[in-house]
Amino acid sequence: MKSVGFFRIVKPDSLSFKFSIIILISSSIIVLLALIPQTLQEHRQRSEQISRNIGFIENSYLPAMNKSLFNFDMEQTKVLLNGIIFMDGVDYCELHDDTSLDSPILSAGTLPGKINFIQTYNLEYKTIKGYNTQLGTLILIGNRTEFLITLKKAAITYLTSGLFTVLILTFIVLITFQKLVAKPLSKLANYTKTLDFSNLSSRDILQNKNRKDEIGMVANAIEDMTKRLIVDLKEKEISEKKLSASNHRFSSVLNSLDTFVIVIDIYTKRVLFSNAPANIIFGDMVGKIYTEIVKGKYSSLCKCWDNNPKDIPVLDEEGSFIIKEINNTETDQWFECRIRKIQWSTGEEVYLKIITDITKRKKYSNMIVQSEKMLSLGGLSAGMAHEINNPLAGMMQNAQAISNRLMSNSKANIEAANTAGTNLASIRNFLEERKIFNQLQRIQEAGIRAAEIVKSMLDFSHKGSAKSSQNIAELLDKTVDLAGQDYDLKKDFDFRNINIVRKYEENLPLIVCDSAKIQQVFLNILKNGAQAMTHSILRQAHHDAGSGTAHSASSGTEKLHFILSIKQESERIKIEITNTGSGISREIQNRIFEPFYTTKPEGIGTGLGLSVSYFIITEIHNGEIKVESDGISWVKFIILLPIS
């Protein structure tokens, strides 16, 4: 509504306008209904008055007129005629005698233009003797139209005054309705539209809620509703904050996991939820089809019963996970896939899939198995070493005694030869011709080699040793020097030709260890690396020789390196020994610490060097040792030793 002075322009769709129209129409109908009976009543009264006038003329004027005509008193007759025309309903009257029917002898009034009432009376006088004397005829003429016009004017006057009264009443009611009803309701409506925490005690509400009528009841109801709404909103706000905090904690927990947590619609295969680790690998997954995202080098992760929902096993009532381990050969990783069906509160059934990278677990499991093998083989190795050592010592001593007796010019040897009918020179010529001395030398060499194996087996089973504080960098450098003096790969390659790159962290703390055994570990790794690089150079040389390309065993040394790295990680020292030139496969990495496992040619390795090294690091020093390789060009041994 828009104010214009005292008045208000009322919109057609407003309650005030509708209420005013209702009042106006109903009041007009009431006025019309009241006017009709009033008009009919007035018409009836006028008609009755005319009837009474006619009766009065018949009863009063006609006898008097008969007498005046009988007495020939024309003046009196004329007075009577003038009296008749003043009667309501008679406009004109005329008197005829028996001899002048065409023209009246007397008349009174004005002949109306429209005649709709004529009344004729025969005038006669009864004498004393009882004779009736015919005197003439009285004709009464009237126009009832004027009566109807008068009645219509009266009705219009009544109607106009009634409608004017209705308009005045409607206006008064409208003003009153506007002030008492429409305006308060409008304010209440505007209040509810702009309802917030700030206008809970709005002036409009405070003004109206004290009223005792229905508007006051509405205002109080709105105020009560507002208070309840504010309470509900505050509770909702608190609940939303708690829910948001709970969702944040829930998301933080899921996003901090190192596993992929994915929720998938059973039938559409669209991802409904994925945590941060999954999004980092596969991008934003929500809304996308799972099998279209997890592809390429991770396509094996689609093998967790994803291809056909009908093939998915039915989960038990307790809702336990179905677990499947997948070897992803593309990335050389192991994954554990856990899947179960859950039902949300909406009734929607989805799959919860939890995918965990268990590559390290697999490696640690293999290491545990390896450690158990080492422990079980430790006791076995000690017993075997002692059992082998005694006959081996006897064999070597007897071989040495035979060699001494054959080569010595002692008196006992000469006498024995003479007794046999020969001499030492002949015997020696025969033995040399049959290469018996070479066989004895080979027996000695084989015995020495067997003794080394026995010593390695004893070292493998022996845990106790003297430990002291050592500088691990100095131990590694000493071992490198030792390898340079000791190793020549059967004269084919010189260890000193390998480029040594040192990356030592400064101010490293001393560690408590058995220096001799740690050097043994370093030496085993350095020897294996040097041998691997030597074989790589020799293979390349043979290949080039076959193709006609000139190449020497030492021409590729500029590509061969040992990279030695030492640094502190928390409470441990990390030593990395990396050799270039060749790599090892995943299969070899899994078995490299097994006892008696070797990839070297027969007669070169015993298969115990790295097994003993593993035992020294893990069992004697409570450390860790592992191997990594790209399978082509490098191998890295990683050793972790506790500082204390």
Side-chain angles (χ1 to χ4, degrees):
M1 299 179 187
K2 183 179 179 181
S3 298
V4 181
F6 175 75
F7 301 97
R8 294 185 181 276
I9 299 175
V10 182
K11 295 182 179 180
D13 57 347
S14 66
L15 184 62
S16 299
F17 179 82
K18 295 177 182 179
F19 187 67
S20 300
I21 293 299
I22 293 173
I23 292 177
L24 184 61
I25 294 175
S26 59
S27 299
S28 299
I29 293 173
I30 291 173
V31 169
L32 290 175
L33 292 177
L35 180 62
I36 291 172
Q38 182 178 358
T39 303
L40 293 175
Q41 178 67 23
E42 187 171 348
H43 181 272
R44 185 171 58 254
Q45 289 177 355
R46 292 290 298 277
S47 298
E48 290 176 355
Q49 181 63 37
I50 292 173
S51 298
R52 285 195 298 271
N53 290 342
I54 296 301
F56 184 75
I57 291 172
E58 291 175 354
N59 296 326
S60 298
Y61 278 87
L62 288 181
M65 189 173 291
N66 287 333
K67 185 177 180 180
S68 63
L69 286 175
F70 184 77
N71 294 325
F72 296 101
D73 189 353
M74 302 305 290
E75 292 295 331
Q76 180 63 29
T77 301
K78 190 174 182 178
V79 171
L80 291 173
L81 288 176
N82 288 330
I84 289 173
I85 64 173
F86 282 106
M87 303 293 287
D88 192 14
V90 180
D91 296 314
Y92 176 76
C93 62
E94 57 184 12
L95 181 63
H96 296 266
D97 58 9
D98 292 336
T99 60
S100 58
L101 294 175
D102 294 331
S103 59
I105 58 173
L106 287 174
S107 64
T110 303
L111 186 63
K114 184 177 181 180
I115 299 173
N116 51 23
F117 172 71
I118 298 176
Q119 183 72 37
T120 303
Y121 296 100
N122 292 321
L123 301 177
E124 58 184 9
Y125 183 76
K126 191 174 183 179
T127 62
I128 297 174
K129 293 181 178 181
Y131 297 106
N132 290 328
T133 302
Q134 188 69 31
L135 300 175
T137 303
L138 177 64
I139 299 174
L140 303 179
I141 297 173
N143 184 4
R144 297 290 178 86
T145 303
E146 294 183 0
F147 161 67
L148 295 175
I149 292 173
T150 302
L151 186 61
K152 182 178 180 181
K153 289 180 179 180
I156 292 174
T157 301
Y158 294 148
L159 180 61
T160 302
S161 61
L163 291 178
F164 181 75
T165 302
V166 167
L167 288 174
I168 296 297
L169 179 62
T170 302
F171 180 75
I172 294 172
V173 171
L174 176 61
I175 296 299
T176 305
F177 185 81
Q178 281 282 95
K179 183 176 181 180
L180 298 180
V181 179
K183 185 176 179 181
L185 287 178
S186 178
K187 290 182 178 181
L188 292 175
N190 291 331
Y191 168 74
T192 56
K193 288 181 181 179
T194 59
L195 182 63
D196 57 25
F197 292 99
S198 62
N199 63 358
L200 176 60
S201 299
S202 172
R203 184 171 175 269
D204 296 331
I205 296 294
L206 294 176
Q207 283 181 341
N208 292 311
K209 71 177 186 178
N210 295 325
R211 291 174 54 166
K212 304 301 182 182
D213 55 8
E214 287 78 0
I215 298 297
M217 295 173 61
V218 172
N220 284 301
I222 291 177
E223 185 181 36
D224 293 341
M225 178 197 70
T226 302
K227 290 180 179 179
R228 291 194 301 271
L229 180 61
I230 296 300
V231 172
D232 292 342
L233 289 175
K234 288 182 178 179
E235 292 179 352
K236 181 181 178 182
E237 183 179 9
I238 294 173
S239 299
E240 288 178 348
K241 288 182 179 179
K242 290 182 178 179
L243 180 61
S244 177
S246 176
N247 288 338
H248 178 71
R249 290 192 296 269
F250 179 72
S251 299
S252 298
V253 170
L254 290 181
N255 292 331
S256 64
L257 298 175
D258 57 356
T259 60
F260 304 157
V261 180
I262 305 171
V263 178
I264 307 169
D265 185 273
I266 293 179
Y267 300 104
T268 66
K269 295 298 183 66
R270 294 192 180 275
V271 177
L272 304 178
F273 171 82
S274 59
N275 66 341
N279 293 335
I280 291 174
I281 299 298
F282 305 111
D284 187 8
M285 304 179 68
V286 176
K288 300 176 183 177
I289 298 177
Y290 174 75
T291 53
E292 293 180 357
I293 303 173
V294 183
K295 56 186 179 180
K297 63 181 181 180
Y298 290 100
S299 59
S300 62
L301 298 182
C302 292
K303 297 178 182 179
C304 285
W305 306 287
D306 288 325
N307 296 327
N308 191 346
K310 295 181 180 179
D311 297 336
I312 299 175
V314 179
L315 302 182
D316 56 39
E317 295 180 356
E318 296 180 356
S320 60
F321 282 93
I322 295 176
I323 303 174
K324 185 176 183 181
E325 290 186 355
I326 299 174
N327 183 13
N328 189 33
T329 56
E330 292 289 333
T331 59
D332 197 19
Q333 291 175 285
W334 278 89
F335 292 96
E336 180 186 77
C337 181
R338 292 172 172 260
I339 185 171
R340 64 166 294 182
K341 182 167 64 176
I342 59 176
Q343 188 176 43
W344 287 351
S345 59
T346 58
E348 184 180 6
E349 291 185 340
V350 298
Y351 279 122
L352 171 63
K353 178 176 286 188
I354 300 176
I355 302 174
T356 306
D357 185 347
I358 59 171
T359 306
K360 290 184 179 180
R361 187 197 305 173
K362 281 284 187 179
K363 290 182 178 179
Y364 292 149
S365 177
N366 292 336
M367 292 175 67
I368 291 172
V369 172
Q370 187 71 14
S371 297
E372 292 176 352
K373 288 182 179 179
M374 297 298 108
L375 290 173
S376 61
L377 286 173
L380 179 62
S381 298
M384 289 177 62
H386 287 293
E387 292 296 329
I388 294 173
N389 207 29
N390 292 329
L392 180 63
M395 180 190 71
M396 292 180 66
Q397 289 175 358
N398 289 325
Q400 184 65 38
I402 293 173
S403 179
N404 291 335
R405 290 187 181 186
L406 291 175
M407 297 301 295
S408 174
N409 293 323
S410 64
K411 183 178 179 181
N413 286 343
I414 295 173
E415 291 177 354
N418 293 331
T419 303
T422 185
N423 55 49
L424 289 177
S426 299
I427 294 174
R428 288 172 181 168
N429 289 334
F430 171 79
L431 293 176
E432 288 179 356
E433 187 68 23
R434 299 296 298 165
K435 298 182 179 179
I436 300 300
F437 292 115
N438 290 337
Q439 297 295 330
L440 290 174
Q441 180 65 29
R442 290 180 182 178
I443 291 173
Q444 287 286 352
E445 291 176 354
I448 293 171
R449 179 172 173 77
E452 291 178 354
I453 294 175
V454 170
K455 183 177 181 299
S456 296
M457 294 173 66
L458 289 173
D459 289 339
F460 181 80
S461 63
H462 181 62
K463 288 182 91 173
S465 60
K467 294 182 180 180
S468 60
S469 297
Q470 299 290 333
N471 185 319
I472 196 67
E474 292 180 358
L475 284 181
L476 184 55
D477 286 340
K478 289 179 181 179
T479 307
V480 172
D481 294 338
L482 179 63
Q485 298 171 4
D486 179 69
Y487 177 71
D488 60 1
L489 282 176
K490 293 188 182 296
K491 310 302 181 180
D492 288 331
F493 192 79
D494 193 343
F495 183 88
R496 289 168 294 184
N497 291 329
I498 300 176
N499 184 30
I500 306 297
V501 179
R502 292 174 172 83
K503 297 180 180 180
Y504 297 167
E505 188 177 283
E506 296 182 356
N507 301 320
L508 289 170
L510 300 178
I511 66 169
V512 177
C513 66
D514 185 331
S515 60
K517 292 190 179 300
I518 293 298
Q519 281 187 286
Q520 181 182 351
V521 172
F522 291 160
L523 187 59
N524 285 336
I525 295 174
L526 291 171
K527 281 186 175 182
N528 284 336
Q531 288 174 346
M533 287 189 284
T534 298
H535 294 153
S536 175
I537 293 297
L538 292 176
R539 283 195 302 270
Q540 184 65 39
H542 291 313
H543 178 269
D544 292 341
S547 61
T549 303
H551 189 85
S552 65
S554 61
S555 62
T557 57
E558 67 276 2
K559 300 180 181 179
L560 304 181
H561 304 277
F562 267 120
I563 302 173
L564 310 179
S565 171
I566 305 176
K567 60 182 178 179
Q568 181 177 356
E569 286 189 355
S570 185
E571 297 299 319
R572 297 192 298 182
I573 296 296
K574 183 177 183 181
I575 304 106
E576 294 181 351
I577 302 175
T578 305
N579 66 269
T580 61
S582 64
I584 57 176
S585 66
R586 172 62 61 181
E587 180 183 358
I588 295 175
Q589 293 179 47
N590 293 334
R591 300 188 60 191
I592 199 167
F593 296 113
E594 289 184 7
F596 306 109
Y597 176 78
T598 181
T599 59
K600 298 175 184 178
E602 184 178 355
I604 300 297
T606 63
L608 286 173
L610 290 178
S611 299
V612 172
S613 298
Y614 184 90
F615 189 82
I616 290 172
I617 296 298
T618 59
E619 297 299 324
I620 298 178
H621 292 88
N622 294 321
E624 294 181 26
I625 182 171
K626 53 188 176 181
V627 63
E628 295 178 356
S629 176
D630 64 349
I632 300 173
S633 61
W634 59 267
V635 178
K636 180 191 292 184
F637 282 87
I638 302 172
I639 301 171
L640 295 169
L641 293 174
I643 294 176
S644 58

